[in-house]
Amino acid sequence: MIGGFIIQGTERKTVIIRAIGPELTQFGVPNVLINPTLELHDASGALIASNDDWQTTIIGGIIVHSQVQQIVNSGHAPMDPRESAIIANLPAGNYTAIVRGVSNTTGVGLVEVYDLNPGSDSKLDDLSTRSFVQINDNVMIGGFIVEGNRPKMVIIRAIGPELTQFGVPNVLANPTLELHNGAGALIASNNNWQTTIIGGVITHDQVQEIINSGHAPTDARESAIIATLPAGNYTAIVRGVSSTTGVALVEVYDLR
């Protein structure tokens, strides 16, 4: 599983990245990844930090001292010692977090990134996850949180066919996208971004808005939703049409 994010702005941004597996069982998630490992790569692909079991810091790259107490103090310490976490102070740029299972084990996992200094003159932008989309409980789920006292406009995308240009095999040929709020209610959906599905928070045709955003998918079979959302937790779910499977990307971009 590959999670991507972009830092924009003039100041460095402190984030915590987590690879979660065992604690998902308390939420009824089956077949969890028992022992996830975590790698952080910069835009050139270089490995700049890694972790396996958050209570044991791996010194190297940008990690120069034990992070255990910092992780505890952050309020985002994983609940299981087999899960992984990295705190990083990063300049503007693109970053990738890669989650694997120890000894090539497999299962359902969660990769997360939290902003630890939201008041800085930089922002955490473009959250994405790439994974193999299956069916039933094994669809791809992307979550994000909107904070603050003003609604936030975002575009959420479900990408499949255009990944082939980057050498990704077995892509999801026709992804669909659902947006759910913190209560689990479906508030928007899309299948093929050039056809708007009216309902929930979508009240009018969005095709031109998607084009104007600069984030229109390059393939007509891919999906996108623009939503103006109040503070809260949100979940984007990606499935394949007719229960098809394959590798896909779910993304959230901050439009303002």
Side-chain angles (χ1 to χ4, degrees), residues 53-147:
D53 304 339
W54 70 273
Q55 294 177 350
T56 303
T57 300
I58 297 177
I59 304 296
I62 61 173
I63 301 179
V64 297
H65 55 77
S66 174
Q67 295 196 327
V68 176
Q69 192 57 52
Q70 281 180 278
I71 292 170
V72 172
N73 294 345
S74 75
H76 297 292
M79 295 175 59
D80 191 287
R82 294 168 292 180
E83 296 170 328
S84 300
I86 293 168
I87 289 180
N89 184 254
L90 302 170
N94 299 353
Y95 298 91
T96 303
I98 298 177
V99 178
R100 295 183 172 91
V102 169
S103 301
N104 293 322
T105 50
T106 61
V108 178
L110 180 68
V111 59
E112 301 175 301
V113 56
Y114 292 89
D115 185 348
L116 295 184
N117 61 336
S120 70
D121 186 24
S122 59
K123 68 176 182 177
L124 184 61
D125 194 20
D126 179 22
L127 305 178
S128 65
T129 301
R130 194 185 88 190
S131 187
F132 188 78
V133 178
Q134 301 179 63
I135 61 173
N136 300 325
D137 291 330
N138 295 318
V139 296
M140 183 162 61
I141 302 172
F144 61 98
I145 300 171
V146 174
E147 295 184 327

Side-chain angles (χ1 to χ4, degrees), residues 141-161:
I141 302 172
F144 61 98
I145 300 171
V146 174
E147 295 184 327
N149 54 21
R150 293 185 298 175
K152 172 71 68 177
M153 179 181 286
V154 298
I155 182 170
I156 306 106
R157 311 196 316 166
I159 302 299

